[in-house]
Amino acid sequence: MQSLFVVSEALRGRKVVYSASMTTALASFIQGKWQAGNGKGRPLENPATEEVLASASTSGFEFSAVLDYAREVGGQSLQKMNLKQRGELLSKLAAVMADNREELLKLAQLNGGNTRGDAKFDVDGASGTLAAYSKYVESEELTIRDGEAVLVGRTSRLIGQHVWLPRKGAAILINAFNFPAWGFAEKAACALLAGMPVVCKPATATALVAHRMFELFVEAGIPEGSLSLICGSVGDLLNHVTSQDVVSFTGSSDTAKTIRTTDSVINAGTTVNVEADSLNAAVLGPDVDLFSETGQLFLKDVVKDMTQKTGQKCTAIRRVLVPASAVEGVCEELASRLSEVKIGDPTAKGISMGPVATKKQKLDVLAGIARLSADTEAVWGGDGSEVTPEGTNGKGYFVSPVLRLAKDPSNLGIVNEHEVFGPVATLIVYDGTASQAAKIVAAPGGGLVSSVYSDDKPYLREAVLGMAPYHGRIYIGSEKMAAQSPGPGTALPSLLHGGPGRAGGGEELGGIRGIRLYQQRVALQGDKSLLKSIID
Ligand code: NAP
């Protein structure tokens, strides 16, 4: 863990040495202690400099024992705590993150290619989500009871009552590379409140932030077995799942498919929640003047989603639907704003977009742009490879923001099929009707969040109701909310995150709804006073 301390020391103004020669093998926190895997492990890099920061291996781990420990020791620790105490645990984790915010931001910049703003989005988003969930313990809705008791006999003695109970397994939280902090927090907040021990597996390439968070949590003191961390490959972890475990996965559709078709998952009937990819759309209504509040919000949101986290956000706008009459103006305005994006080492001052997270990610993004090019015209950024990042010695995994244009809405091909997970979006020309917009938006077969920008009520009603069944969230950008809007790309603890079909079919967050994934709903049926004595 030496190099991590080096970062901490740097932030406290002490001696700093941080080089490849000091590469650290990241340990995992399993069975109540820090343990490193065997062998060389997989590298974690600084994507702006290509410097190897650490490595992670899980070789030699006995994952069946890891899960048994979490279920037995962690399950007991959490289930003997009441709801209020579990809420206090979340507050404590949030406070630990807030107290060490600067260090976590720095690590997110080093290992994730994040600008400081990107790093805050992840790290503050995580502590904010933990804090928000800690307050749900005060909600009257978060009771063990699911609805009112119902009469099921001839007299009022015999009743039925649905209740929510924590599952007796482990919550296995597998996260994507783009949100090592928030990805943990949004899942763990719900699992811990429900009373399930967490086994967190961040994506290996960007695990540094999650690793440091766990070090801090462990130092601060956590209920025994309640949190485990796996740094490195997933190994045969999923071969040991039971019917009481929950696998909550965020990542690519391909990995989701592998998880869902793992024999042990099928045989045990393990609950699996999937958050996968999404071709989120932003639709400009025909009533909108680009220089109105609504028009400016639309332009701001598109550019923000293309460049924030270098476009590596599952909620980012990928398809931008524009009525034919507005296309020229939108192309000009977006190109002008994209020309002001400063690309480079995200730790340098004034940089507004860093690199993508890994070399593989860069190759995937460039290949994705090449595929899009077959069906689209260039508006800005060409094929993505023409980029001169600042302060980087020619190293790093940089791509340019790329805006493409599809003129024929009846021939969208790859635009509606392939998610390019980088700073890339495609403008789609449509006829300005709500019905055509809704049809195009729905075409990929399910998404996380799409947005409509308009102040025309009949248009909005038709567009929103047409798109909504294909999504987990719909964002309506309009004049009166423009000043306070976080944009469609921000997932909020109080609103659902997830989506049907190709987005994975999962549901997370949404306030108390997110906690239910980690609980079993049971109907209890019997004598009224006996039921009361069991439940209260
Ligand atoms: P990924 O390659 O699917 O990896 C995701 C996670 O799965 C990583 O922790 C990875 O571990 C792990 N994993 C790999 N193989 C596995 C297996 N056989 N069984 C179980 N876990 C396995 O995805 P990614 O490249 O990190 O993320 C990018 C994708 O995630 C994009 O498609 C994006 O749309 C999607 N995403 C969706 C959301 C959402 O909320 N819907 C949010 C963020 C990202 P290793 O890193 O150790 O390989």
Side-chain angles (χ1 to χ4, degrees):
M1 278 170 270
Q2 196 175 7
S3 66
L4 300 191
F5 290 133
V6 172
V7 174
S8 322
E9 302 272 289
L11 289 158
R12 290 175 191 134
R14 300 191 204 128
K15 186 170 168 254
V16 186
V17 187
Y18 202 72
S19 72
S21 60
M22 294 188 63
T23 299
T24 300
L26 290 189
S28 294
F29 188 68
I30 49 176
Q31 293 163 277
K33 48 185 189 289
W34 290 100
Q35 296 181 47
N38 301 326
K40 215 167 135 221
R42 286 163 57 194
L44 286 75
E45 286 180 81
N46 177 338
T49 63
E50 300 180 29
E51 181 189 11
V52 176
L53 302 170
S55 66
S57 164
T58 56
S59 167
F61 287 1
E62 264 190 59
F63 281 118
S64 62
V66 170
L67 288 177
D68 281 346
Y69 177 85
R71 289 180 199 118
E72 283 157 27
V73 180
Q76 251 187 37
S77 301
L78 285 165
Q79 287 169 29
K80 72 182 180 211
M81 291 162 74
N82 61 30
L83 191 57
K84 186 163 173 276
Q85 290 167 323
R86 299 205 289 264
E88 283 162 3
L89 171 62
L90 297 191
S91 298
K92 179 174 175 176
L93 301 183
V96 166
M97 290 193 70
D99 289 348
N100 294 278
R101 179 173 182 260
E102 284 305 319
E103 180 184 0
L104 295 172
L105 294 179
K106 183 80 180 157
L107 287 174
Q109 290 195 270
L110 283 177
N111 185 211
N114 291 185
T115 63
R116 189 171 162 85
D118 293 341
K120 286 190 209 166
F121 194 60
D122 186 25
V123 171
D124 294 346
S127 54
T129 301
L130 290 166
Y133 266 94
S134 72
K135 303 218 167 60
Y136 280 114
V137 299
E138 287 152 24
S139 162
E140 282 181 10
E141 276 179 62
L142 190 52
T143 91
I144 180 174
R145 288 181 164 77
D146 176 42
E148 300 292 321
V150 288
L151 291 179
V152 292
R154 273 183 290 107
T155 73
S156 60
R157 285 240 66 86
L158 182 55
I159 61 160
Q161 172 71 59
H162 290 90
V163 292
W164 290 106
L165 295 173
R167 297 176 194 269
K168 295 285 186 189
I172 301 168
L173 313 182
I174 302 176
N175 287 317
F177 69 81
N178 52 345
F179 287 107
W182 179 81
F184 156 77
E186 53 118 18
K187 291 175 162 63
C190 293
L192 292 172
L193 265 197
M196 278 192 93
V198 160
V199 176
C200 170
K201 206 227 89 51
T204 304
T206 57
L208 220 47
V209 175
H211 180 272
R212 184 61 186 146
M213 280 162 57
F214 267 71
E215 282 189 327
L216 294 165
F217 295 156
V218 171
E219 275 166 29
I222 49 173
E224 206 181 347
S226 59
L227 290 176
S228 305
L229 175 76
I230 296 168
C231 287
S233 298
V234 76
D236 72 349
L237 177 78
L238 296 183
N239 290 350
H240 307 286
V241 293
T242 68
S243 64
Q244 287 289 308
D245 295 331
V246 174
V247 178
S248 186
F249 169 78
T250 297
S252 63
S253 306
D254 285 348
T255 310
K257 201 167 160 191
T258 305
I259 292 173
R260 280 184 162 136
T261 54
T262 299
D263 283 350
S264 44
V265 170
I266 296 172
N267 294 339
T270 308
T271 301
V272 177
N273 190 78
V274 170
E275 302 290 348
D277 70 28
S278 181
L279 285 157
N280 314 299
V283 181
L284 183 67
D287 59 305
V288 180
D289 178 330
L290 278 188
F291 297 96
S292 67
E293 294 260 331
T294 311
Q296 292 292 301
L297 177 67
F298 161 79
L299 294 168
K300 186 175 103 185
D301 285 350
V302 172
V303 173
K304 182 177 177 185
D305 269 14
M306 285 181 71
T307 56
Q308 188 176 45
K309 300 273 295 174
T310 318
Q312 300 163 114
K313 266 186 344 195
C314 51
T315 50
I317 296 166
R318 307 287 176 202
R319 300 175 300 147
V320 187
L321 277 67
V322 180
S325 58
V327 170
E328 202 178 321
V330 169
C331 285
E332 267 173 35
E333 284 299 314
L334 289 178
S336 155
R337 290 172 191 227
L338 290 172
S339 71
E340 283 162 21
V341 175
K342 276 209 174 347
I343 302 166
D345 185 332
T347 56
K349 223 174 161 193
I351 295 299
S352 47
M353 195 176 94
V356 292
T358 60
K359 183 175 184 181
K360 176 180 178 300
Q361 187 58 22
K362 176 174 175 173
L363 295 174
D364 284 354
V365 170
L366 293 179
I369 297 167
R371 290 182 72 190
L372 277 182
S373 302
D375 291 338
T376 60
E377 295 173 17
V379 176
W380 177 262
D383 66 1
S385 64
E386 291 296 314
V387 57
T388 322
E390 290 180 25
T392 61
N393 298 335
K395 294 245 178 194
Y397 308 129
F398 293 92
V399 290
S400 162
V402 168
L403 186 64
R404 308 287 310 178
L405 173 65
K407 284 189 174 157
D408 179 2
S410 65
N411 182 25
L412 289 170
I414 205 76
V415 179
N416 276 348
E417 285 162 23
H418 184 62
E419 178 202 46
V420 185
F421 205 59
V424 182
T426 303
L427 294 171
I428 298 172
V429 182
Y430 82 107
D431 66 8
T433 63
S435 58
Q436 194 186 48
K439 200 170 158 203
I440 295 169
V441 172
L448 295 173
V449 53
S450 282
S451 43
V452 196
Y453 297 79
S454 172
D455 290 280
D456 175 339
K457 286 182 184 160
Y459 172 87
L460 276 174
R461 185 179 158 80
E462 190 180 349
V464 169
L465 296 183
M467 291 155 57
Y470 299 87
H471 292 81
R473 180 161 59 93
I474 297 288
Y475 163 103
I476 301 157
S478 67
E479 186 185 353
K480 291 198 175 124
M481 56 74 88
Q484 50 175 311
S485 166
T490 303
L492 300 167
S494 51
L495 298 183
L496 269 188
H497 176 63
R502 74 174 285 157
E507 281 193 354
E508 290 181 327
L509 301 173
I512 284 160
R513 293 168 192 84
I515 298 166
R516 301 311 187 193
L517 174 64
Y518 303 97
Q519 297 176 316
Q520 176 66 40
R521 180 168 27 204
V522 197
L524 300 181
Q525 185 181 357
D527 176 83
K528 190 175 179 180
S529 61
L530 290 180
L531 282 196
K532 197 166 160 23
S533 71
I534 294 166
I535 296 169
D536 290 337

